[in-house]
Amino acid sequence: MAISFDLTGKVALVTGANTGIGQAIAVALAGAGADVALAGRSEPAETLDLIAGTGRKALNIRADLSSIEPVGRIVAEVVSGLGRIDILVNNAGIIRRNDLAEFTEEDWDAVIDTNLKSLFFLSQAAARPMAAQGSGKIINIASLLSFQGGIRVPSYAAAKSGVAGVTKAMANELAARGVQVNAIAPGYIATNNTAALQADETRNRQIVERIPTGRWGSPDDIAGAAVFLASAAADYVTGHVLAVDGGWLAR
Ligand code: NAP
């Protein structure tokens, strides 16, 4: 049997793809043959250019995922603009750092709403056409804090642990409809999200010393796992949280 990672004819939706991990995933999915819709709150000019360079179609959808208000519109725009939806990558996310004693309700709600609530309800909206067509792939961007508690990021740890749980919950229900739901747990990846850690000399050294691979990851390190999980090669993989972490969790 020929194993296929080819996404020709597929349509993907990636949230938060103007930068970082989302950008790398969107461009990699296009490189594997998919047309790609980008949903986010900032103009993804660079990502649109990079997708154009692959020869695939790109669709730009402006949406703020700090609430679930746009989720139905986003999926409707993908289907009307690109004809269908086969792959959803829930990547958009934020982080708020503070000591436990100082942690505010705003920092709790903002992270849970964007990283967990919008992820679930956008998945719900995308799962409808996927279930109706009998195929689909939902890929959630989880975190090492889906497994660990982290330092000074309690709402992020709660949200990302929730992402692992809801990935499995959705996978169980959608498996019989031909839709696989998985998550990728990136390790320490050099992006805007981790700029504060990279800039902190002590934390930066502690982090790199603990990673068996001995370096920060790059967004491109995550993209291959996304292409795999989006492809027919992963049709029997569902409900899994795949760490791509340079060995961090093995240690
Ligand atoms: P990033 O460069 O900060 O990217 C985050 C993306 O999410 C941006 O496109 C951002 O848009 C978007 N976003 C944030 N809030 C949004 C909102 N309300 N509506 C729409 N889009 C929104 O960071 P990243 O590291 O690539 O993060 C991507 C994902 O990976 C996140 O879920 C993050 O938690 C996860 N992750 C990252 C690491 C890491 O080490 N970097 C590790 C584990 C997991 P704007 O540019 O407009 O803010």
Side-chain angles (χ1 to χ4, degrees):
M1 181 188 131
I3 304 294
S4 179
F5 299 93
D6 183 19
L7 302 179
T8 303
K10 303 290 185 190
V11 171
L13 165 63
V14 184
T15 66
N18 57 306
T19 183
I21 292 170
Q23 179 181 72
I25 289 175
V27 175
L29 294 176
D35 292 333
V36 184
L38 315 173
R41 61 183 178 180
S42 300
E43 186 60 27
E46 193 181 47
T47 313
L48 291 170
D49 278 353
L50 291 166
I51 292 174
T54 69
R56 304 314 315 170
K57 284 189 216 150
L59 178 69
N60 181 14
I61 301 172
R62 190 58 70 86
D64 182 348
L65 287 162
S66 61
S67 85
I68 67 168
E69 180 272 325
V71 300
R73 171 178 65 82
I74 293 170
V75 172
E77 282 191 39
V78 177
V79 173
S80 70
L82 295 174
R84 52 190 291 121
I85 181 165
D86 301 290
I87 300 155
L88 165 63
V89 181
N90 282 303
N91 167 78
I94 58 171
I95 192 161
R96 299 281 174 86
R97 296 187 165 83
N98 211 340
D99 293 337
L100 201 74
E102 316 300 331
F103 213 81
T104 65
E105 184 177 5
E106 203 277 323
D107 282 346
W108 180 268
D109 288 345
V111 174
I112 298 288
D113 286 353
T114 302
N115 295 15
L116 182 58
K117 187 173 177 181
S118 289
L119 174 147
F120 175 74
F121 284 100
L122 185 58
S123 300
Q124 180 190 62
R128 291 187 182 115
M130 289 178 181
Q133 73 198 8
S135 66
K137 306 279 188 183
I138 298 175
I139 301 165
N140 298 321
I141 303 304
S143 167
L144 294 176
L145 301 198
S146 302
F147 304 98
Q148 302 178 316
I151 299 171
R152 300 180 75 243
V153 287
S155 61
Y156 189 84
K160 294 297 188 179
S161 296
V163 168
V166 87
T167 296
K168 294 171 199 169
M170 293 193 294
N172 290 338
E173 193 168 333
L174 291 170
R177 311 296 301 273
V179 179
Q180 291 80 48
V181 187
N182 292 288
I184 297 170
Y188 284 84
I189 311 298
T191 67
N192 300 335
N193 174 292
T194 50
L197 293 181
Q198 295 168 65
D200 179 332
E201 213 176 294
T202 308
R203 285 298 308 281
N204 186 59
R205 182 177 37 76
Q206 290 167 341
I207 287 166
V208 173
E209 278 175 1
R210 195 200 180 285
I211 300 171
T213 304
R215 64 167 176 86
W216 283 76
S218 80
D220 287 337
D221 286 318
I222 305 303
V227 171
F228 164 62
L229 291 174
S231 74
D235 279 352
Y236 201 60
V237 180
T238 199
H240 187 65
V241 184
L242 174 60
V244 181
D245 66 352
W248 175 280
L249 287 176
R251 188 150 174 183

